[in-house]
Amino acid sequence: MIEIRMHGRGGQGAVIACKILANALFREGKFAQSFPAFGVERRGAPVMAFTRIDNKPIHLRTEIYEPDHLIILDASLLQTIDVTIGLKPAGKILINSGLEPSSFKLPQKFDVMTIDANSIAVKHGLGTRSTPIVNTAILGAFSKFTKIIGVEAIEVAIHESVPIKKKANVLATHEAYETLKIDPIIHLMEHS
């Protein structure tokens, strides 16, 4: 079983992103479930959403306390919440940020990548400059970073799950996928 925990703020699309991810995984023949955990239900409040993946039916119905991977939609959450709580050793952390992964003071046992999903979302008219909707862009980067899901399956899931701006969301997903640069040599050296 693979478990993913997404941290974001209300209005960034964390809950929809987990639904799209689960839909895409289902399309690839996996069993998947997604669900949110809300604190204060208002725009800008911290939000967590979860996706669980397996090759067999999933009967577990709890929040995810020991994820394999984290997706951080708002890097400012790293200053207020210990998002790494429970993250398994060698877990992957994908952060929406224009900064380099080394800019974040995270334990070296984790594999950290960044993608400027805000800029990609704004470029494609998803949200506003002050409140970009980054969910589909981050999924494109997640696809490339983890190789758990194909970007084509995410594209199909967007067409089924997103009510508006389907083309813009698909373009943002593909741009993030293409933009994320994983240098295999440096990546291996940093994590050996």
Side-chain angles (χ1 to χ4, degrees):
M1 182 179 298
I2 299 172
E3 296 179 311
I4 302 155
R5 189 171 68 209
M6 188 174 298
H7 294 265
R9 294 191 182 275
Q12 289 187 302
V15 175
I16 297 297
C18 282
K19 287 181 180 176
I20 292 169
L21 184 58
N23 185 343
L25 289 157
F26 179 75
R27 297 232 151 254
E28 289 194 343
K30 305 281 188 199
F31 291 89
Q33 61 179 213
S34 70
F35 49 96
F38 294 105
V40 179
E41 292 189 45
R42 64 175 165 76
R43 184 170 288 275
V47 170
M48 284 192 300
F50 310 93
T51 302
R52 192 171 272 136
I53 310 159
D54 208 337
N55 291 321
K56 56 185 185 291
I58 301 168
H59 301 290
L60 191 59
R61 297 285 186 254
T62 64
E63 288 188 9
I64 294 172
Y65 300 103
E66 296 181 346
D68 297 279
H69 308 295
L70 296 176
I71 299 174
I72 314 300
L73 297 182
D74 185 334
S76 72
L77 290 169
L78 294 165
Q79 300 168 5
T80 58
I81 301 170
D82 183 1
V83 297
T84 62
I85 288 178
L87 181 61
K88 293 177 182 167
K92 294 187 177 206
I93 305 172
L94 178 61
I95 303 170
N96 171 22
S97 174
L99 299 174
E100 293 294 319
S102 59
S103 302
F104 298 95
K105 305 293 182 225
L106 294 166
Q108 290 190 346
K109 64 182 178 181
F110 301 129
D111 193 359
V112 181
M113 278 297 206
T114 57
I115 182 81
D116 188 357
N118 285 354
S119 295
I120 293 170
V122 169
K123 176 181 173 184
H124 292 284
L126 302 172
T128 64
R129 284 200 176 281
S130 61
T131 314
I133 301 172
V134 299
N135 56 0
T136 50
I138 205 85
L139 289 178
F142 183 76
S143 169
K144 189 167 187 178
F145 184 34
T146 65
K147 301 184 180 7
I148 290 173
I149 183 74
V151 72
E152 296 81 12
I154 294 172
E155 180 178 342
V156 172
I158 287 171
H159 280 289
E160 291 182 353
S161 307
V162 176
I164 60 171
K165 296 188 176 185
K166 295 174 193 266
K167 184 176 179 182
N169 279 290
V170 167
L171 289 172
T173 300
H174 282 282
E175 183 171 337
Y177 181 89
E178 296 302 326
T179 301
L180 187 73
K181 300 294 181 210
I182 300 174
D183 184 331
I185 296 171
I186 292 174
H187 201 65
L188 285 172
M189 289 174 62
E190 288 178 348
H191 299 94
S192 61

